Amino acid sequence: MPGSAAPPLNSRSLPYWSGRLPVPAYDRALVTPGVVHVGVGVFHRAHQAMYHDRMMNDGAELSWGICGVGVLAADRAVQQALDAQDGLYTLVLKHGDGTYEPRVIGSVVEYLFAPEDPEAVIEKMAAEPTRIVSLTVTEGGYNVSDITGEFDAASPEVLGDLEPGAVPRTTFGLITEALRRRRQRGLGPFTVVSCDNLPGNGELSRRVFTAFARLRDPELGGGALPQLHGGPDHPGDHRRRPGRGRRPVRDR
């Protein structure tokens, strides 16, 4: 009806929006998560999730969907916003000539809130289809001591995860437990990839996760986890490269 309010973005309203702006051309009902991403913030939604959406639009396998994970209490708001829209959101690119290009992104097909259900997060990471666990957790998320430059094993969160029988709550605990279960089940490893804009982020990831694994289980950290691959260095430096003269301005 003329003048009627536009429906909120979700799976049911996607046909309405498809005539007004670009939407996923693939069948989202067939998409399965091959990537579990910790820290579904603005950077991830404007870059990595957009690339996955673009790949599947271009005919890539639909096994490259994303399951987002929140580990902080503040991530509850992200969960609520994405759940209300069935994981869909609109990304707006601003071109060099001042024009705007909106697009609905559909690659995030699931979101898990670790403080509420850490077991679900661990099992999702440990599931055979998961090939990558990627991170955008900011510099503080790597738990490196400002004094020693090494993994801070004395932080209260880490100490809590190291208690006998403790349910993992930190990113380190969740990932290490998932890797342990995969090894126990005879599954191949997933790759841990840091996507934070930090110097040597690949080597940093290897160092801190190995340090935690050694504390959690000496066998795990003593060379039994070759899957702790370093990610690409400085992927955040690529944030200007999605297209010349354009940049993401917002998503919602």
Side-chain angles (χ1 to χ4, degrees):
M1 293 178 59
S4 60
L9 178 62
N10 55 45
S11 295
R12 295 181 301 280
S13 68
L14 208 52
Y16 170 90
W17 291 108
S18 66
R20 291 162 173 81
L21 72 165
V23 303
Y26 49 91
D27 186 349
R28 292 184 76 237
L30 301 179
V31 176
T32 56
V35 174
V36 175
H37 184 82
V38 181
V40 186
V42 173
F43 178 78
H44 174 76
R45 297 196 302 271
H47 294 84
Q48 294 155 266
M50 179 270 289
Y51 288 128
H52 280 252
D53 179 79
R54 182 187 295 178
M55 286 193 306
M56 291 188 287
N57 267 318
D58 289 344
E61 293 182 7
L62 298 183
S63 59
W64 282 108
I66 297 169
C67 173
V69 169
V71 297
L72 303 176
D75 292 327
R76 169 72 81 180
V78 177
Q79 179 198 32
Q80 292 172 338
L82 287 174
D83 283 354
Q85 298 185 172
D86 299 320
L88 296 164
Y89 62 93
T90 304
L91 175 68
V92 181
L93 298 178
K94 181 179 180 181
H95 292 270
D97 61 3
T99 60
Y100 293 88
E101 180 188 349
R103 178 179 187 84
V104 175
I105 305 297
S107 53
V108 180
V109 294
E110 188 175 359
Y111 190 97
L112 300 173
F113 186 54
E116 182 176 80
D117 194 350
E119 180 63 22
V121 173
I122 295 168
E123 279 301 307
K124 178 60 67 173
M125 293 178 178
E128 188 171 7
T130 299
R131 288 169 275 183
I132 292 174
V133 174
S134 53
L135 314 168
T136 46
V137 294
T138 75
E139 183 176 4
Y142 293 87
N143 194 50
V144 174
S145 169
D146 292 333
I147 299 173
T148 66
E150 300 297 327
F151 182 73
D152 183 5
S155 72
E157 294 82 5
V158 168
L159 289 175
D161 267 11
L162 294 176
E163 287 290 328
V167 176
R169 299 289 178 180
T170 67
T171 303
F172 310 104
L174 295 166
I175 289 177
T176 300
E177 176 59 19
L179 289 171
R180 187 193 68 79
R181 292 186 189 185
R182 287 177 71 107
R183 187 185 62 159
Q184 187 178 54
R185 297 167 186 174
L187 296 177
F190 55 69
T191 301
V192 177
V193 180
S194 167
C195 299
D196 284 292
N197 187 21
L198 299 170
N201 59 2
E203 180 56 33
L204 172 64
S205 300
R206 184 193 302 275
R207 188 155 46 91
V208 296
F209 279 98
T210 299
F212 178 87
R214 285 173 177 159
L215 294 169
R216 180 73 175 177
D217 184 333
E219 183 181 354
L220 284 174
L225 291 181
Q227 59 267 39
L228 288 175
H229 303 305
D233 285 342
H234 299 296
D237 291 342
H238 302 171
R239 67 184 66 187
R240 293 182 297 277
R241 299 182 185 176
R244 292 185 179 181
R246 65 183 187 178
R247 61 188 177 88
V249 293
R250 69 177 184 272
D251 68 83
R252 61 184 180 185

